[in-house]
């Protein structure tokens, strides 16, 4: 894996369970077995125009996880002038494995956790391909 | 007689701070359980990512922002792109804020359930007050 900083940003959308799944995937990616390789920042910092957060993005490889086609996380990053290395849209991942349909926004349930794992795997595979 | 307005609630999502998760959870409780018919919401990032329709949100609704830390991203973002919030809540003003654990930015612990409940009830009280004083 290369030495570039990796930042993953979920949309955390408050209208759908997919927003919570995006959060869960970010948790798994930043905390579960991936050590110091990935970190996250608060997406609202970009809305508030926080320059420190924007500067971090400019030095990083940025992954976004969006819960709906409005792709807020991706667009917010792009509006800072930073390119997104990979954007993941949760419903597209679910379409590949419909057994992992999440529960509610307040409790995504075990299938939602599995869907989050699917997302993590997609990002790790992309990272692996990039390094080869 | 004019119809009482819905009240907008906009939460920070604070992916990198536990207060963001608490704010999001409390906001969802108000939207889904405490005041489902009296409230509306919008994802905060839509102010930056969306268009004029989304940016009119806080002009259409008297709006409460709920922030998980003193950076006040939801309040700043709402005022910057839409309209000044009617009420700005900062979780740092709650004494229990200092007890939050870092891992709660992902999974809220039982020890913080009282804080979530208190914040939810406060948001709901502000909703009632805004509706009752609406002219």
């Amino acid at each position: 894996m290369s030495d570039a900083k990796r930042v993953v940003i979920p949309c955390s959308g408050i209208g759908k369970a997919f927003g919570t799944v995006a959060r869960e995937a970010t948790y798994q990616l930043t905390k579960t077995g991936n050590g110091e390789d990935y970190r996250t920042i608060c997406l609202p910092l970009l809305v508030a125009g926080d320059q420190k957060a924007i500067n971090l993005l400019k030095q990083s490889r940025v992954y976004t996880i969006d819960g709906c086609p409005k792709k807020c996380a991706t667009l917010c990053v792009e509006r800072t002038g930073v390119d997104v290395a990979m954007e993941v849209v949760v419903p597209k991942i679910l379409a590949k494995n419909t057994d992992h349909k999440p529960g509610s926004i307040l409790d995504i349930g075990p299938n939602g956790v599995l869907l989050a794992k699917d997302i993590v795997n997609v990002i790790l595979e992309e990272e692996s391909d990039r390094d080869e | 007689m004019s119809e009482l307005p819905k009240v907008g609630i906009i939460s920070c999502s604070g992916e990198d701070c536990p207060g963001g998760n608490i704010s999001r959870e409390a906001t969802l409780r108000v939207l889904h359980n405490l005041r489902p018919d009296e409230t509306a919401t919008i994802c905060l990032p839509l102010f930056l990512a969306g268009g004029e329709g989304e940016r009119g949100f806080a002009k259409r609704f008297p709006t409460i922002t709920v922030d998980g830390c003193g950076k006040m991203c939801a309040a700043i973002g709402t005022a910057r792109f839409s309209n000044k919030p009617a009420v700005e809540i900062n979780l740092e003003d709650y004494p229990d804020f200092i007890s939050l654990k870092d891992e709660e930015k992902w999974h809220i612990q039982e020890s913080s359930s009282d804080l979530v409940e208190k914040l939810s009830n406060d948001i709901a009280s502000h909703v009632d007050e805004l509706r009752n004083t609406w002219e």
Side-chain angles (χ1 to χ4, degrees):
Chain A
M1 194 175 270
S2 72
D3 290 335
K5 293 177 189 169
R6 294 166 187 80
V7 175
V8 56
I9 304 179
C11 75
S12 297
I14 201 155
K16 295 182 177 71
F18 291 151
T20 306
V21 171
R23 275 184 91 92
E24 172 66 22
T26 302
Y27 162 70
Q28 292 184 16
L29 199 54
T30 56
K31 292 295 178 192
T32 313
N34 299 303
E36 301 295 315
D37 293 332
Y38 294 87
R39 60 164 297 182
T40 189
I41 63 167
C42 296
L43 179 57
L45 284 172
L46 302 184
V47 182
D50 185 274
Q51 198 56 50
K52 192 174 170 188
I54 294 169
N55 288 342
L56 173 65
L57 293 186
K58 286 179 176 173
Q59 301 163 16
S60 306
R61 183 179 296 168
V62 182
Y63 295 83
T64 55
I65 307 173
D66 280 302
C68 83
K70 290 183 176 174
K71 299 201 290 189
C72 288
T74 300
L75 288 172
C76 284
V77 171
E78 290 178 344
R79 297 228 165 138
T80 68
V82 172
D83 291 331
V84 173
M86 182 183 189
E87 57 178 75
V88 178
V89 182
V90 179
K92 289 185 178 178
I93 305 300
L94 177 62
K96 294 175 184 171
N97 190 347
T98 53
D99 290 342
H100 293 173
K101 187 177 180 183
S104 72
I105 190 168
L106 282 166
D107 181 7
I108 59 173
N111 284 337
V113 174
L114 290 172
L115 179 58
K117 183 64 179 169
D118 294 338
I119 293 166
V120 169
N121 289 336
V122 165
I123 292 175
L124 292 178
E125 283 170 16
E126 194 277 343
E127 188 79 37
S128 176
D129 291 345
R130 185 184 290 264
D131 287 345
E132 282 177 2
Chain B
M1 182 175 166
S2 64
E3 193 174 335
L4 289 175
K6 287 200 173 194
V7 172
I9 309 175
I10 299 177
S11 175
C12 96
S13 51
E15 291 81 4
D16 202 26
C17 83
N21 204 14
I22 300 285
S23 297
R24 186 174 182 269
E25 175 87 7
T27 297
L28 283 167
R29 284 195 190 187
V30 177
L31 293 166
H32 287 261
N33 302 329
L34 298 181
R35 299 292 185 273
D37 298 326
E38 295 88 1
T39 53
T41 192
I42 188 171
C43 299
L44 175 64
L46 260 178
F47 282 145
L48 181 56
E52 287 306 310
E54 287 87 0
R55 291 176 183 178
F57 183 88
K59 296 185 179 80
R60 292 196 299 276
F61 303 106
T63 295
I64 300 166
T65 53
V66 186
D67 274 296
C69 80
K71 291 181 179 174
M72 301 294 284
C73 293
I76 291 171
T78 300
R80 182 180 179 193
F81 290 106
S82 188
N83 201 11
K84 183 167 171 49
V87 176
E88 298 176 4
I89 296 176
N90 177 0
L91 194 62
E92 282 193 16
D93 292 337
Y94 289 71
D96 289 346
F97 176 83
I98 57 171
S99 303
L100 292 177
K101 299 174 181 65
D102 188 58
E103 56 265 34
E104 291 187 272
K105 62 188 181 187
W106 304 114
H107 299 128
I108 296 171
Q109 298 186 354
E110 185 63 32
S111 57
S112 295
S113 59
D114 287 349
L115 178 58
V116 173
E117 186 175 350
K118 172 89 170 79
L119 180 58
S120 305
N121 289 333
D122 286 353
I123 297 168
S125 294
H126 283 299
V127 169
D128 296 342
E129 190 176 337
L130 285 171
R131 283 168 57 85
N132 289 336
T133 56
W134 181 257
E135 293 178 353

